[in-house]
Amino acid sequence: MTDRYATLADRFGVALKRDEPLARYTVARLGGPADALLAANSTTDLTEAVTLACQAGIPWIILGGGTNVLISDAGYRGLVIVNQTKGVRFENGGRVVAESGASLSTLARRCMNQGLAGLEWAVNVPGTVGGAVVNNAGAHGGEMADSVRWIEVFTVHDRPHIELWSAGQMRYEYRNSVLKGQSGCQVVLAVTLALEPGHDPEALNARASAFVAHRKRTQPPGATLGSIFKNPPGDYAGRLIEAAGLKGTALGGVEISSVHANFIVNKGEGTARDYRALIEQAREVVREKLGVELEPEIEFVGTWD
């Protein structure tokens, strides 16, 4: 650890952890150490950490729930900021303002209990609000783009400042936005959602329960990052991987799920290297056998061979 972390250490003290293993912060339980890691419990902590890192020339990334991200076994040479900002505010007319570190599934349940419709699909989708906003997370026919109206974005271009973006500025597409892949540039601080008020909470929860039951039937439990590939137009990545004969294929300590072929499960002894190699194997075999190029939905972080 070089002295370029000194200012961060002065500001955050023992909260700034050195050489911190990242596996415990990801759903797949994979990833080597970060040079430094900080849990940000407020938007002030979040923006100050980003600002100080930029001033010191330290690379940085934001980690939310640890889904949809595969961190290399070599770890990350920079600052990892774990976003734990969790504030939620309910406003009139179905408007909900949520900080980016809030749990998406918990937010969905709170909204349903308030009679607000529109997030039932998210009731068992892992991850944080910020990650969902950036990745345009979705399930069961719904997605974040349906509800997002305004996004509070902290940017470090030229000078650190906060901007208020409209949903249109996000340029939402299927599992994508203009902010995806922009680690080290901008941070989502909060989002304003427009939901539909006046619904029966019991009816909303019943609908959500059906989604939960479907997910349990069709998706594997355990240490998995979620869907590995985006669904290509008019088809499903899981169907293609299964059609290519890869369902249940194992490599090292990870395997393509026998429940749903678009999921890769760490059985307990896996490495990030194994996980990525199996991803590349699935892409190659599907390309060769079926002529379809699968696009990863997850992001790769750290140094890779």
Side-chain angles (χ1 to χ4, degrees):
M1 188 69 62
T2 67
D3 59 2
R4 63 178 180 166
Y5 288 89
T7 305
L8 280 161
D10 288 343
R11 165 61 178 83
F12 294 103
V14 295
L16 185 74
K17 299 180 180 181
R18 313 291 183 98
D19 298 314
E20 179 72 2
L22 294 173
R24 70 187 67 174
Y25 299 95
T26 71
V27 178
R29 301 294 181 259
L30 296 171
D35 283 350
L37 180 140
L38 174 72
N41 298 309
S42 68
T43 56
T44 299
D45 286 349
L46 196 55
T47 57
E48 287 188 6
V50 167
T51 300
L52 292 174
C54 289
Q55 290 173 349
I58 300 170
W60 57 271
I61 59 170
I62 303 294
L63 198 61
T67 61
N68 288 94
V69 58
L70 181 62
I71 299 171
S72 75
D73 298 314
Y76 182 71
R77 304 284 70 79
L79 173 67
V80 173
I81 304 170
V82 180
N83 187 356
Q84 295 185 346
T85 63
K86 299 178 180 179
V88 175
R89 185 172 74 251
F90 294 91
E91 299 182 344
N92 294 331
R95 293 289 175 120
V96 180
V97 180
E99 291 183 335
S100 53
S103 162
L104 180 63
S105 59
T106 300
L107 176 65
R109 190 67 74 179
R110 290 183 64 183
C111 290
M112 287 186 293
N113 290 337
Q114 296 264 351
L116 301 175
L119 279 185
E120 301 89 284
W121 60 267
V123 70
N124 62 345
V125 174
T128 60
V129 170
V133 167
V134 170
N135 293 286
N136 193 19
H140 309 294
E143 61 182 11
M144 289 302 294
D146 298 333
S147 303
V148 171
R149 292 299 176 267
W150 298 99
I151 308 96
E152 192 175 318
V153 179
F154 181 70
T155 180
V156 290
H157 293 313
D158 299 325
R159 58 178 179 82
H161 63 283
I162 296 174
E163 300 174 345
L164 189 62
W165 288 24
S166 68
Q169 289 174 272
M170 293 292 287
R171 300 178 194 171
Y172 275 128
E173 299 175 350
Y174 169 66
R175 302 297 179 267
N176 197 25
S177 78
V178 72
L179 289 180
K180 187 166 184 176
Q182 298 301 308
S183 295
C185 299
Q186 291 157 314
V187 183
V188 172
L189 299 181
V191 60
T192 299
L193 304 175
L195 302 177
E196 189 175 310
H199 288 260
D200 177 11
E202 288 190 10
L204 295 178
N205 278 283
R207 185 166 186 252
S209 294
F211 291 152
V212 172
H214 179 268
R215 191 180 184 97
K216 287 182 178 179
R217 288 195 308 271
T218 60
Q219 296 183 13
T224 172
L225 293 177
S227 296
I228 298 299
F229 299 103
K230 298 179 182 179
N231 288 324
D235 211 333
Y236 296 96
R239 188 201 72 79
L240 291 166
I241 296 167
E242 183 173 356
L246 294 171
K247 196 172 188 179
T249 298
L251 179 64
V254 303
E255 70 173 19
I256 295 176
S257 172
S258 58
V259 177
H260 192 311
N262 199 23
F263 289 74
I264 295 177
V265 182
N266 177 13
K267 305 298 287 186
E269 301 296 330
T271 65
R273 184 187 181 93
D274 293 339
Y275 208 101
R276 183 159 189 176
L278 200 49
I279 290 172
E280 297 305 328
Q281 181 181 343
R283 292 186 77 184
E284 182 178 349
V285 174
V286 168
R287 184 192 309 116
E288 290 180 351
K289 288 189 174 183
L290 303 174
V292 178
E293 185 68 41
L294 292 177
E295 180 182 355
E297 185 172 325
I298 67 172
E299 293 187 62
F300 302 100
V301 171
T303 302
W304 298 87
D305 295 337

